[in-house]
Amino acid sequence: MPERLGTAHTTPDGIAILAISGNRTVTPLKLLEYLQRQTAILAHAEDVNGIMLTGSESGFCCCSADPSTSPHSASQLSGFGQKTMFNLEKTGKPCIAVIEGECTGLGLEIALACDFIVASHSASFGFPGIATGQIPFCGGSQRLTRLVGKSKTKELIYSGDCINAEEAYRIALINRLYPSGEALSQAEKLLEHICTRSPNAIRIGGEVVNAGYDIDLQTACMLERDAFALCFSSFDQREGMQAFLDKRAPHFKGE
Amino acid sequence: MPYKKLRIEVANRVGYILLGAGSRFNKLSITTIRELKRAFTQLEEEESAHAVVLSGYPGESFAAGADIGQMVHFSPGDAFHFAELGQSLFDQIESSSKPVICALNGIAMGGGCDLAMSCDIRIATEGLRIGHSGAKLGIITGFCGTHKLPRIVGKNFAREIFMTSEPYSSADALRMGLVDKVYTTDDFWPQVVLLAEQIATHPQAALAAAKRLINAAEDTDLRSGCLLEREMATHINSLQPSHH
């Protein structure tokens, strides 16, 4: 029987729930290939407005690379993993990582490539791979540093220790903290709310935020100015502002 | 020319730019932005002002965003020029040699949030409502917010704020690092004045150098930033009275 790598289904409200099963027995390459395929499908699916990336009953995901991998295949795996994360970042749709249970190793790297992370009190986070000589390989060292700063990232990666959900909330690794067992339902409400906003504005905004983060502020602001002007040729802008003036709810088309 | 959308006061070495044209919600219309540019130029030249406070106090709001009635008719070209106008104001605030404290007395949405982020320090009342409603209006912000917000609160909070388009509370803003201090309604203004007056007692050249260095740190590699710091520290030191 082939390895079960995850499940995907879309709610009537257009929320795709992609549940990956990344326990310790799952091969990272297989999981990444699955994620790559699913990401491509979700990016193009017209009935999908937002994405929740979540785990299974055993946790979010805690698999890690095989330490005995040769340098060549490690490089291949890292290259493929990084590409998969970039693709996950640019679906053009809001994507929230929803964590119950353990989110470590590759799991944390995947969560970091989502727009933001929410979790319940049952969650834990870390990069335990250092004990067997491993470091993050899908962009996790870079994304975590940008999110929580150099010192916290070094502490986590050097020690290999896991932090609990409260600590993750304190250091702003996660945006929201929910009671155990409630992360999925609460995140779904949040995402449904986000999906009432202009898909156009969310897509352009996300792209401009990402594009401007690693360049100087002046150049980034020029990029923003042009993208801002572009919004004024859209249906969503006319509808959004008219609805505001009419004091009614807008009906966006994402065009 | 008199101001219509704001007034200026100077007291105890602090210059105050107080938004408020009588309406409950200050809007960042083209006129308001032009007046703000003029006001910052005036206070930059005003020798008795060593620090600047920008606020909507004692009104109800700080700035409730752009004027949607005006914006709804914008062509892409109008929007382009509007973004340029706003960005030039924010650039002016950042390039000013004087520290600028933003006293967030109430609602600060959209362009109001961006205006706050171009200031050096943000102090808020507990009743603050701050956020970006662009995605609710079908647009993104054009006033540098897509880049300032991630630099201040991190990418993940920034994306959440843009995506939800909801106003956030003062407690949320403090946790995310979007504001530096929160005070009760009663303590708010006295604390703003206290901090501004304290800052204004310090040597102007040192304040200006510190502001320039800290702003440069954002876009400069560490070695170049340190070089700049060394040059500026040497220069500032040479200005000490004991060296003359």
Side-chain angles (χ1 to χ4, degrees), chain A residues 60-62 97-105 107-112 116-129 144 147-148 152 155-157 159-177 183:
Chain A
F60 181 73
C61 171
C62 60
V98 187
I99 318 295
E100 294 271 3
E102 191 175 340
C103 172
T104 58
L108 182 50
E109 300 207 67
I110 294 170
L112 284 165
F116 58 89
I117 308 171
V118 300
S120 88
H121 282 282
S122 72
S124 61
F125 303 86
F127 282 121
L144 188 61
L147 189 59
V148 303
K152 265 292 156 202
E155 186 189 328
L156 276 168
I157 293 181
S159 72
D161 286 343
C162 279
I163 55 170
N164 62 23
E166 290 77 21
E167 176 72 358
Y169 184 73
R170 199 183 63 76
I171 65 170
L173 171 59
I174 61 174
N175 281 26
R176 296 185 181 209
L177 180 58

Side-chain angles (χ1 to χ4, degrees), chain A residues 115 169 172 174-176 193 197-198 201 205 208 210 212-213 215-217 220-221 224-226 228-229 232 252, chain B residues 76 79-80 84 87 135-136 139-147 151 155-156 159-160 163-164 166 175 219:
Chain A
D115 284 321
Y169 184 73
I174 61 174
N175 281 26
R176 296 185 181 209
H193 178 64
R197 306 315 193 196
S198 157
V208 173
N210 283 344
Y213 199 71
I215 60 177
D216 69 285
L217 192 63
C221 289
E224 182 200 73
R225 178 199 62 195
D226 296 352
F228 173 74
F232 286 78
F252 292 118
Chain B
F80 182 94
E84 273 199 318
Q87 292 194 3
K136 213 152 78 177
I139 59 165
I140 64 166
T141 176
F143 289 172
C144 309
T146 57
H147 306 302
R151 280 163 167 80
K155 258 198 214 179
N156 288 20
R159 284 192 282 233
E160 185 194 312
M163 283 178 182
T164 63
E166 286 295 323
R175 174 180 172 243
D219 284 330

Side-chain angles (χ1 to χ4, degrees), chain B residues 36-107:
Chain B
L36 278 167
K37 280 177 69 88
R38 202 146 58 81
F40 273 101
T41 305
Q42 185 186 329
L43 284 182
E44 184 69 18
E45 288 161 5
E46 175 61 60
E47 282 176 15
S48 63
H50 294 193
V52 178
V53 171
L54 174 64
S55 187
Y57 185 84
E60 210 171 319
S61 69
F62 174 70
D67 185 343
I68 306 304
Q70 189 173 62
M71 239 180 177
V72 68
H73 305 297
F74 275 6
S75 70
D78 295 334
F80 182 94
H81 291 299
F82 186 61
E84 273 199 318
L85 178 70
Q87 292 194 3
S88 73
L89 164 66
F90 300 160
D91 187 45
Q92 190 187 342
I93 296 172
E94 282 183 1
S95 320
S96 154
S97 64
K98 299 174 186 181
V100 180
I101 298 168
C102 179
L104 291 157
N105 57 304
I107 302 162

Side-chain angles (χ1 to χ4, degrees), chain B residues 109-124:
Chain B
M109 292 296 289
C113 176
D114 289 346
L115 179 59
M117 289 193 290
S118 66
C119 301
D120 298 316
I121 299 170
R122 282 163 294 281
I123 312 287

